[in-house]
Amino acid sequence: MSAIPASEQPYRRPVEPADLVGRWVRLDHDASVGVLDNARRETGATDWEWDLRTSEGTVSGTGPLVARPLTDPSGLRSARRRLRAVRADLTELASPDDPALARATEDLDLLELEAAALP
């Protein structure tokens, strides 16, 4: 039995990356945090092609992909803080119909929704 309460245990179960598309994730290989836009693998291939939308922009890559849902409180706070700062800058400097502002608002709403659904 674990001495760590279940609500505080890190998410360790392996997850198929394609099942996490559209969710906030942390990539294991470089600790990047963002919304996984796509993850696809060619039939019979072992490597992935993926796109991760972060507060700094979109990151694309190929190769092994190990992604976990963003569930730790410190990761959620950090992502929320960065995204709020980006949205504040866009609100102040960009035009109201800028797609980046709408995307930042949608990503923040998704982050809040996922955080509220955690135990």
Side-chain angles (χ1 to χ4, degrees):
M1 223 170 150
S2 175
I4 302 172
S7 61
E8 295 176 17
Q9 290 183 7
Y11 192 87
R12 298 279 186 220
R13 187 178 54 166
V15 178
E16 180 73 14
D19 294 341
L20 295 174
V21 169
R23 294 196 51 200
W24 277 87
V25 299
R26 177 181 302 280
L27 301 183
D28 280 1
H29 74 279
D30 68 354
S32 295
V33 174
V35 178
L36 190 61
D37 274 339
N38 80 56
R40 62 186 173 279
R41 181 170 27 190
E42 297 291 328
T43 305
T46 58
D47 288 342
W48 292 84
E49 292 181 28
W50 49 269
D51 295 315
L52 182 73
R53 190 171 66 240
T54 68
S55 56
E56 292 84 30
T58 301
V59 178
S60 298
T62 58
L65 176 60
V66 179
R68 299 178 195 282
L70 187 61
T71 58
D72 63 291
S74 63
L76 290 166
R77 281 192 303 272
S78 178
R80 186 180 295 123
R81 186 175 38 254
R82 284 192 308 264
L83 201 49
R84 284 181 178 163
V86 167
R87 189 179 66 171
D89 288 347
L90 288 169
T91 300
E92 182 178 338
L93 303 172
S95 67
D97 58 345
D98 188 339
L101 177 59
R103 192 168 32 258
T105 300
E106 290 169 4
D107 287 348
L108 185 57
D109 290 344
L110 176 62
L111 180 65
E112 297 293 350
L113 181 66
E114 289 185 10
L118 293 174

